[in-house]
Amino acid sequence: MRNLYIVILFFMISGCKVSLDGASIPPGMKTVNVTVFENNAPLVVSTLSTQLTEDFKTRIRNQTKLSLTNNEPEATFSGNITGYDIRPVALQDNGNRQALAGANRLTIRVNVKYVNNLDPKKSFEEAFERFKEFKLAGNLQAQEPALIKDVTAQLIEDIFNRAFAQW
């Protein structure tokens, strides 16, 4: 425990920026714009575009000191949802020589363009994909909102880290 205090004291004295959440927002960056992630997937879920966009904005509001703006932001996020599918990933025999899905996978793919107007070298355009496996328990429509929330949370984490944690 004493060593932890020494390390923290060292960083405070040396003037280094310590970020406990892993985010490293450039010092001059104060504003960001997040445009609506349009849903261009072959299978469209009507709420997915709004949910992904608003959840990403909430992450920025809660995890940074950046202000969201439409007027001359220092950085911009834009993109589109390119894939949404649910497929069986594990088949099992039901005893009647019929294969049933033992597990399914919800996959969401998003193309993201991040423009850093302060340091264009840190800009990127990249595809992100995440999934969640699940067992169908009754009605898919009843399970789908929670599955979407889990997968979009993973995507938001990846996009946020790519832009601000420099991984």
Side-chain angles (χ1 to χ4, degrees), residues 14-65:
S14 67
C16 290
K17 179 182 173 187
V18 177
S19 176
L20 299 177
D21 65 359
S24 178
I25 309 298
M29 188 175 288
K30 306 270 186 273
T31 60
V32 66
N33 182 22
V34 177
T35 64
V36 174
F37 287 87
E38 292 188 27
N39 196 339
N40 297 331
L43 179 59
V44 174
V45 174
S46 62
T47 59
L48 182 57
S49 176
T50 303
Q51 182 176 347
L52 179 65
T53 304
E54 291 307 313
D55 287 354
F56 189 56
K57 287 178 180 181
T58 300
R59 172 71 190 266
I60 290 171
R61 279 187 209 102
N62 292 343
Q63 300 277 318
T64 72
K65 293 181 180 180

Side-chain angles (χ1 to χ4, degrees), residues 7-159:
V7 170
I8 291 172
L9 182 62
F10 171 76
F11 280 111
M12 289 173 54
I13 292 171
S14 67
C16 290
K17 179 182 173 187
V18 177
S19 176
L20 299 177
D21 65 359
S24 178
I25 309 298
M29 188 175 288
K30 306 270 186 273
T31 60
V32 66
N33 182 22
V34 177
T35 64
V36 174
F37 287 87
E38 292 188 27
N39 196 339
N40 297 331
L43 179 59
V44 174
V45 174
S46 62
T47 59
L48 182 57
S49 176
T50 303
Q51 182 176 347
L52 179 65
T53 304
E54 291 307 313
D55 287 354
F56 189 56
K57 287 178 180 181
T58 300
R59 172 71 190 266
I60 290 171
R61 279 187 209 102
N62 292 343
Q63 300 277 318
T64 72
K65 293 181 180 180
L66 295 172
S67 297
L68 292 166
T69 184
N70 293 328
N71 300 324
E72 300 181 28
E74 279 96 20
T76 302
F77 288 93
S78 60
N80 56 1
I81 300 162
T82 59
Y84 179 95
D85 58 63
I86 298 173
R87 297 177 189 236
V89 291
L91 297 177
Q92 62 187 26
D93 185 357
N94 72 351
N96 296 330
R97 295 185 178 232
Q98 293 177 335
L100 296 175
N104 296 287
R105 177 180 291 170
L106 167 64
T107 305
I108 301 175
R109 286 174 293 286
V110 181
N111 284 334
V112 176
K113 183 176 183 180
Y114 169 67
V115 178
N116 182 329
N117 294 317
L118 300 176
D119 187 356
K121 291 178 187 173
K122 293 189 177 177
S123 298
F124 63 84
E125 189 163 352
E126 195 170 313
F128 295 85
E129 177 178 302
R130 283 301 196 139
F131 65 88
K132 179 162 181 137
E133 292 185 2
F134 65 98
K135 289 190 178 198
L136 190 56
N139 187 345
L140 176 61
Q141 282 83 14
Q143 286 182 266
E144 203 169 20
L147 294 167
I148 291 171
K149 187 170 181 63
D150 289 347
V151 176
T152 57
Q154 294 173 34
L155 287 165
I156 289 166
E157 181 76 16
D158 290 349
I159 297 163

